[in-house]
Amino acid sequence: VQLQASGGGLVQAGGSLRLSCAASESFSTINIMGWYRQAPGKERELVATETSGGSTNYADSVKGRFIISRDNPKNTVYLQLNNLRPEDTAVYYCNLKTMTWNAVTTADYWGQGTLVTVSS
């Protein structure tokens, strides 16, 4: 499975962006799709995930500002970024984890990353 992310760009603080990530093919019905980010000089961190069952998880730093959603027939995950701050500047990576019925990960895929730059 290949993941193609898009939607990054330059935005002023307080602005919004919408990231998209499309998978090249169908995958296991038991999965987690999500977004991670890596700022310069920092480790990659979780931003938001959504399971195939619809459960979501957000980093505390983005709660109330970012919204993750999925379009399962299109094998696509989105991340709506609102009220952006300079500290949100990072390369954003989409991720797909497939797993068995008892939550054992069977595959872990990463997109190529899309740069989000927030100016103050």
Side-chain angles (χ1 to χ4, degrees), residues 3-46:
L3 302 178
Q4 181 68 44
S6 61
L10 173 64
V11 64
Q12 289 187 330
S16 298
L17 283 173
R18 189 190 194 208
L19 308 183
S20 300
C21 177
S24 60
E25 58 189 86
S26 299
F27 41 85
S28 169
T29 55
I30 304 174
N31 60 77
I32 302 174
M33 298 189 81
W35 293 91
Y36 293 71
R37 67 186 181 186
Q38 187 166 18
K42 296 187 176 182
E43 294 186 353
R44 190 173 297 187
E45 63 177 2
L46 180 146

Side-chain angles (χ1 to χ4, degrees), residues 13-83:
S16 298
L17 283 173
R18 189 190 194 208
L19 308 183
S20 300
C21 177
S24 60
E25 58 189 86
S26 299
F27 41 85
S28 169
T29 55
I30 304 174
N31 60 77
I32 302 174
M33 298 189 81
W35 293 91
Y36 293 71
R37 67 186 181 186
Q38 187 166 18
K42 296 187 176 182
E43 294 186 353
R44 190 173 297 187
E45 63 177 2
L46 180 146
V47 177
T49 61
E50 183 170 350
T51 71
S52 47
S55 297
T56 57
N57 181 45
Y58 293 91
D60 288 343
S61 59
V62 307
K63 282 180 181 177
R65 299 188 300 123
F66 293 6
I67 301 171
I68 189 170
S69 61
R70 299 174 52 149
D71 185 336
N72 291 325
K74 293 184 178 180
N75 298 324
T76 300
V77 61
Y78 305 96
L79 187 68
Q80 179 68 39
L81 295 74
N82 299 319
N83 192 19

